[in-house]
């Protein structure tokens, strides 16, 4: 069966899954958690196959680490599912209720988006995490994982499919794709797939965005900034920049470029250089930076680069407005932080920086669904529509308008026999 | 100056406009309303130019009617702006506030999307309506109207630009494009334009969707259905179907296909035929329909056609599930209504029909922002993300996460020196 037919089946399943009760979905999630534990040995065995083959194929160490899916990772997955079960159902919430007229009641009610296409690299935990998030939010899912994790992904998809089948979830709600050709095919199926969530490298995400008419939720670059203002406390600024840069360098919310107010630069940069050198961070700087600390020159390319490494570029700016303009021009709309004691400058920065996450006196590394308290995260979005910043369950739902009448027709209103009342109802959708 | 440079200027203006206070935006809207009245004669004169040229060029009568922009249309526009001023500002609303830890407060605050590209055909009122909606929601706008309305659009853009300049709105917040080549260019500018709203014919909207990487909000087809259930009151059903089909045939929320339960068909179809014949509606039907009333056969193509005319296709179905499946397969996700006295069937229909608007015992023609009480409408969306159904001001905003700390760093949480608290705050963003 080709991807087109599979996607059509998934679409059909999505209609049924959308109507499933919260309790039923939670029972199915619990069944997945139980099956993961029960079939632990099979999963670990499949993962060892993947690991063995990948070692032979000289997969780099960091990727091998991400590929590993052992007892402890399975236990993490089970914990995640148990937390997910406790979260409120995002589906069926009445967002608005209006009496358009006597006996004519409008309700805006949340519902699943439908079919989500998820494409992820290596980490098999992503398969468990995303498919359970989709189930909780009533969405069907077409998954494609990295080929290096094929055996692990296959067994995980099997565990989830069988567990949900047992729990009465509509058949075909989850399908695993295994080849790149299938992904190319999938990108064309806007008739059946409502949203694509890519999780992987920048180039990979950009390729998806460029090659599909289906909306994409996610981010390519994470070029995050710290801006140390004239009125910054220097110790606090050093701590925040060091954390933003070095707490975990390989992630999208790590800081890549530091902007410093010219009046703070002379006092701040030497302190920072000492602190960063202890962490082996390589610094490049603009000419004004180089006058204060001995560092290599930063080029235009540096301002556009997501290092994901122990590297930092530094630019001295005239004022908060130059910092804001630099960020809006070179940034990726991900996460940017101002360090200042001036409330006025903080307010200006947070109003004018056009990013999903704008921070005052804290590390860019806080930009994360778990830290934000969402319990579960689909990913971080730099889109300007639908969902921005860390996306939890609510990024996987949309809404329907439901109107209940008693034979009402529009002619009566255009003939002025009746007029609209538009009363707030504050009622839940009754059916 | 090319469209690329113009769009960049508009993008720059969008940063400033996003930070404008509600009161200031309302003053600018009031200035537009005043200027429209003051420069009424100029506007009418320009419109008469357009009308004269279009008559010569044999523009069809309905298009001439839509092109006309006289004193009464100007007065409608002014009324619209005055209503818009009274609506709540959609920007700066705190949607969520959480204490992540002591002194570390997260706020989710609404903000404008940024730059909206609007492409519309003929009607000059769309220019006034959409640009004032964008201003109210803090968005900049790139507009392209139909060439037949060029003189009218030019003067309207001039009126709005001068009025907002006087009121202190950032320069370049609104730009008018005049050629098709500029539109093609615009579709490529995903760096500067965040959302495209096309208002026009199906083919036109589909062309835009197929030729841009920028998200599109709107609808191509409006293939709406009424389903008359076994348990329908026949008089009510006739009234609703007649209104849904004939109250205004040229619009997206008019019904194109009627589905009838087989047990209701024999009693209902003759009644309906009489009522529709009085309105000169041409009916086509499936074989089962043809056994009950003498009508031409409906083809597969009929179920896929948006007539926008006095035409209706009818299909007899076995039950509510066949109706739901037909709608989900052939419909366009716009508006569909069930007529029934069975609450159970209504609930099933409203849960399983995957459309932005699902109705019970009322006309599909109610699917409209003004009727829903939104005060103003950007258009009707059949997307599955961001905004669905009639879209008011809130479809033009998104949100930012704003995090305020006191020097907080992530290392303290990963080292377990501190733990997250995630307390609900119920506070407005304080800056």
């Amino acid at each position: 069966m080709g991807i087109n037919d599979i996607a059509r089946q998934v679409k059909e399943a999505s209609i049924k899954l959308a109507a499933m009760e919260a309790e039923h979905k939670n029972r199915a999630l619990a069944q997945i958690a139980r099956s993961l534990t029960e079939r632990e040995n099979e999963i670990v065995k499949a993962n060892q196959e993947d690991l063995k083959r990948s070692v032979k194929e000289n997969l780099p160490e960091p990727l091998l680490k991400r590929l590993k899916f052992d007892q402890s990772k399975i236990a993490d997955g089970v914990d995640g599912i148990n937390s997910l079960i406790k979260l409120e159902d995002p589906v069926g919430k009445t967002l608005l209720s209006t009496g358009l007229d006597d006996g004519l009641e409008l309700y805006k009610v949340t519902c699943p988006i439908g079919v989500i296409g998820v494409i992820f690299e290596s980490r098999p935990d992503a398969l468990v995490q995303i498919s359970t998030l989709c189930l909780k939010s009533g969405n069907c899912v077409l998954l494609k994982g990295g080929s290096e994790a094929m055996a692990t992904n296959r067994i995980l998809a099997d565990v989830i499919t069988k567990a949900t089948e047992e729990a009465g979830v509509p058949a075909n709600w989850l399908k695993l794709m295994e080849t790149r050709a299938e992904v190319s095919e999938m990108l064309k199926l806007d008739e059946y797939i409502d949203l694509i969530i890519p999780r992987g490298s920048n180039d990979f995400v950009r390729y998806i965005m460029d090659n599909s008419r289906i909306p994409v939720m996610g981010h390519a670059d994470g070029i995050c900034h710290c801006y140390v203002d004239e009125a910054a406390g220097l110790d606090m600024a050093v701590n925040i920049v060091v954390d933003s840069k070095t707490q975990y360098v390989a992630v999208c919310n790590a800081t890549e470029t530091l902007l410093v107010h010219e009046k703070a630069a002379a006092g701040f940069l030497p302190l920072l250089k000492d602190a960063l050198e202890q962490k082996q961070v390589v610094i490049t700087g603009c000419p004004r930076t180089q006058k204060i600390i001995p560092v290599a020159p930063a080029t235009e390319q540096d301002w556009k680069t997501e290092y994901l490494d122990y590297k930092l570029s530094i630019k001295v700016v005239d004022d908060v407005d130059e910092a804001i303009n630099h960020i809006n021009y070179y940034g990726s709309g991900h996460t940017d932080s101002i360090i200042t004691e001036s409330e006025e400058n903080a307010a200006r920065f947070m109003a004018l920086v056009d990013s999903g996450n704008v921070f005052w006196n804290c590390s860019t590394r806080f930009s994360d669904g778990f830290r934000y308290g969402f319990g579960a995260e689909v990913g971080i979005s730099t889109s300007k529509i639908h969902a921005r910043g860390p996306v939890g369950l609510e990024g996987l739902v949309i809404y329907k308008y439901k109107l209940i009448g008693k034979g009402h027709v529009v002619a009566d209103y255009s003939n002025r026999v009746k007029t609209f009342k538009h009363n707030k109802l504050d009622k839940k959708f009754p059916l």
Side-chain angles (χ1 to χ4, degrees), chain A residues 170-190:
Chain A
N172 303 318
W173 82 274
L174 175 146
K175 289 286 180 183
L176 186 66
M177 294 176 294
E178 299 202 322
T179 67
R180 271 174 188 270
E182 287 172 319
V183 173
S184 303
E185 272 305 296
M186 177 180 117
L187 297 182
K188 295 178 202 149
L189 300 178
D190 56 310

Side-chain angles (χ1 to χ4, degrees), chain A residues 411-419:
Chain A
D412 287 340
Y413 298 86
S414 57
N415 299 337
R416 317 245 166 182
V417 176
K418 292 178 174 182
T419 51

Side-chain angles (χ1 to χ4, degrees), chain A residues 184-256:
Chain A
S184 303
E185 272 305 296
M186 177 180 117
L187 297 182
K188 295 178 202 149
L189 300 178
D190 56 310
E191 193 185 343
Y192 301 130
I193 302 169
D194 300 301
L195 181 67
I196 291 183
I197 303 179
R199 307 229 316 199
S201 69
N202 307 355
D203 290 346
F204 170 72
V205 174
R206 208 167 283 122
Y207 169 81
I208 307 280
M209 288 177 168
D210 285 352
N211 287 282
S212 185
R213 201 195 298 168
I214 305 169
V216 175
M217 184 162 77
H219 65 275
D221 291 316
I223 302 178
C224 303
H225 301 77
C226 285
Y227 164 60
V228 176
D229 192 33
E230 177 182 6
L234 297 191
D235 286 346
M236 185 196 282
V238 170
N239 281 338
I240 290 175
V241 175
V242 168
D243 191 82
S244 298
K245 178 66 256 181
T246 68
Q247 201 273 326
Y248 189 10
V249 298
V251 286
C252 58
N253 59 13
T255 286
E256 308 294 6

Side-chain angles (χ1 to χ4, degrees), chain A residues 59-134:
Chain A
L59 200 72
E61 189 58 40
L63 290 185
L64 285 175
K65 224 171 170 180
R66 296 174 67 187
L67 173 55
K68 190 171 178 183
F69 197 68
D70 54 8
Q71 273 88 347
S72 117
K73 287 273 182 81
I74 293 173
D76 286 350
V78 168
D79 282 353
I81 295 171
N82 289 329
S83 316
L84 192 58
I85 290 171
K86 286 182 201 124
L87 292 181
E88 207 186 337
D89 193 298
V91 172
K93 285 189 189 174
T94 302
L95 302 175
L96 181 90
S97 55
T98 310
L100 305 191
D101 192 3
D102 296 332
L104 185 63
E105 297 188 346
L106 179 71
Y107 300 86
K108 182 180 183 179
V109 184
T110 60
C111 62
I113 291 174
V115 178
I116 316 287
V118 182
I119 312 173
F120 58 99
E121 292 181 332
S122 32
R123 297 169 51 155
D125 19 346
L127 190 154
V128 176
Q129 202 187 5
I130 293 182
S131 55
T132 53
L133 278 162
C134 284

Side-chain angles (χ1 to χ4, degrees), chain A residues 46-59 64 67 146-152:
Chain A
N47 186 246
Q48 281 168 346
E49 241 179 71
D50 283 333
L51 283 168
K52 232 184 261 172
R53 190 189 58 245
S54 298
V55 167
K56 261 193 212 155
E57 289 169 0
N58 293 317
L59 200 72
L64 285 175
L67 173 55
S147 56
E148 64 284 2
M150 194 187 283
T152 318

Side-chain angles (χ1 to χ4, degrees), chain A residues 360-381:
Chain A
W360 177 20
N361 286 347
C362 52
S363 166
T364 56
R365 290 274 297 119
F366 281 106
S367 180
D368 170 279
F370 294 91
R371 292 180 193 132
Y372 278 12
F374 299 164
E377 184 189 87
V378 183
I380 294 181
S381 163

Side-chain angles (χ1 to χ4, degrees), chain A residues 265-312:
Chain A
F268 176 66
L269 289 178
L271 291 179
L272 181 74
K273 186 166 181 280
D274 288 350
L276 288 178
E277 273 172 357
Q278 289 176 31
K279 304 269 183 181
Q280 273 78 48
V281 175
V282 176
I283 303 173
T284 57
C286 69
R288 287 202 276 183
T289 302
Q290 291 181 295
K291 280 186 190 155
I292 300 167
I293 50 173
V295 294
T299 64
E300 173 77 7
Q301 191 52 42
D302 279 297
W303 315 130
K304 300 175 184 170
T305 301
E306 184 182 21
Y307 302 118
L308 295 172
D309 203 349
Y310 287 89
K311 288 185 186 168
L312 180 74

